[in-house]
Amino acid sequence: MNNFTKNEIKKIVSDLMKEMRNEIPVGVSNRHIHLSQEDFELLFPGETLEPLKMLKQPGEFAAKQTLTLIGKKGKQEKVRILGPLRKRTQVEISKTDARVLGIDAPIRLSGNLVDAGIVTLKSVNNEVSLRAAIVAKRHIHMNPNDLERFNLKEDDVLTVKLKTPERETIYKDVSIRLGEKFILEMHIDTDEANAANVTNSTKALLMRDEKME
Ligand SMILES: [Zn+2]
């Protein structure tokens, strides 16, 4: 038996609790498409966007409908549309997808399509080419309570450790996405998840140590 002193046990428990307080669930985003009403009607005339599976963020869902993505070098079929419809069409792919498709997609926070890559979206009915392809910048969804609990500001740029077996990884340049109804969750793409050996139970740990810089 180990003989820990009372103070040593206190320290272990306090360290563990500190770590648990900084833990954030991780969600991996596969390539997907957000459509505007106009583009949806063009690609799926007479249809409505039908939910297949609800996502963790309230109101958001993976739809039954899919599209083919086409770039200069290749195509990817059955790419999922996420609902609900948005103001602008946006295609989120990984850097690997961008390479395979031949699309020059910049890293952008969702909603920022400055210099977005040109992509063609094809359904059985129609196709449309538009400047809409980005690689999503890694981010953490937080509501105002989370922001307060972590003692952060909306425009803070975070450093997190992904606690994974055999490939523990530290990611910098993590943005905050603040929303009244957001549920605490870090979103990374499949490239980032694979690089870090992320599993279903992976947690992200907010790094507080200035020495990390
Ligand atoms: Zn997200």
Side-chain angles (χ1 to χ4, degrees):
M1 289 293 286
N2 288 318
N3 289 311
F4 289 112
T5 66
K6 205 171 161 186
N7 278 341
E8 282 169 337
I9 292 169
K10 263 188 183 166
K11 167 110 176 53
I12 290 166
V13 170
S14 133
D15 285 353
L16 201 61
M17 282 176 69
K18 209 150 103 195
E19 186 166 308
M20 282 167 68
R21 274 202 300 273
N22 284 326
E23 274 185 356
I24 296 164
V26 177
V28 181
S29 303
N30 200 354
R31 69 185 76 99
H32 64 270
I33 301 158
H34 301 281
L35 285 181
S36 66
Q37 182 79 40
E38 189 190 357
D39 290 331
F40 179 76
E41 283 171 11
L42 180 82
L43 292 161
F44 300 97
E47 290 186 39
T48 49
L49 190 63
E50 280 187 74
L52 175 73
K53 181 175 172 258
M54 296 313 289
L55 303 177
K56 191 164 174 181
Q57 298 305 321
E60 297 188 10
F61 59 90
K64 281 185 185 150
Q65 287 94 340
T66 61
L67 287 166
T68 299
L69 296 184
I70 305 168
K72 277 187 290 205
K73 284 199 217 153
K75 63 178 183 178
Q76 280 163 337
E77 292 176 341
K78 293 191 165 53
V79 178
R80 193 63 57 188
I81 298 168
L82 300 191
L85 297 173
R86 290 192 178 182
K87 279 207 186 88
R88 283 183 76 182
T89 293
Q90 174 173 298
V91 176
E92 296 179 41
I93 56 179
S94 68
K95 279 284 172 188
T96 300
D97 294 331
R99 192 176 279 252
V100 170
L101 290 165
I103 294 174
D104 194 10
I107 294 170
R108 294 276 182 269
L109 263 185
S110 180
N112 177 358
L113 295 181
V114 174
D115 298 326
I118 294 169
V119 58
T120 298
L121 305 177
K122 191 177 186 310
S123 67
V124 288
N125 303 294
N126 232 325
E127 68 176 65
V128 61
S129 292
L130 64 187
R131 198 173 272 288
I134 59 167
V135 175
K137 192 170 168 62
R138 55 181 85 111
H139 59 275
I140 301 175
H141 289 265
M142 290 188 185
N143 61 48
N145 285 339
D146 298 318
L147 203 68
E148 199 182 319
R149 186 161 61 87
F150 286 116
N151 195 21
L152 295 167
K153 296 188 298 296
E154 188 177 0
D155 58 356
D156 282 345
V157 178
L158 312 176
T159 297
V160 304
K161 178 159 79 180
L162 295 182
K163 301 202 297 172
T164 63
E166 297 182 275
R167 274 190 170 181
E168 193 164 271
T169 300
I170 289 170
Y171 278 135
K172 296 186 153 202
D173 299 315
V174 182
S175 297
I176 296 171
R177 309 248 40 191
L178 186 63
E180 283 297 327
K181 296 198 174 135
F182 278 159
I183 288 171
L184 183 67
E185 187 181 31
M186 180 180 188
H187 280 171
I188 53 177
D189 70 19
T190 46
D191 279 358
E192 293 168 315
N194 289 336
N197 192 29
V198 165
T199 67
N200 281 339
S201 59
T202 297
K203 299 276 190 260
L205 191 63
L206 208 51
M207 304 297 285
R208 303 284 189 173
D209 190 349
E210 296 301 319
K211 289 195 287 284
M212 289 299 307
E213 300 297 313

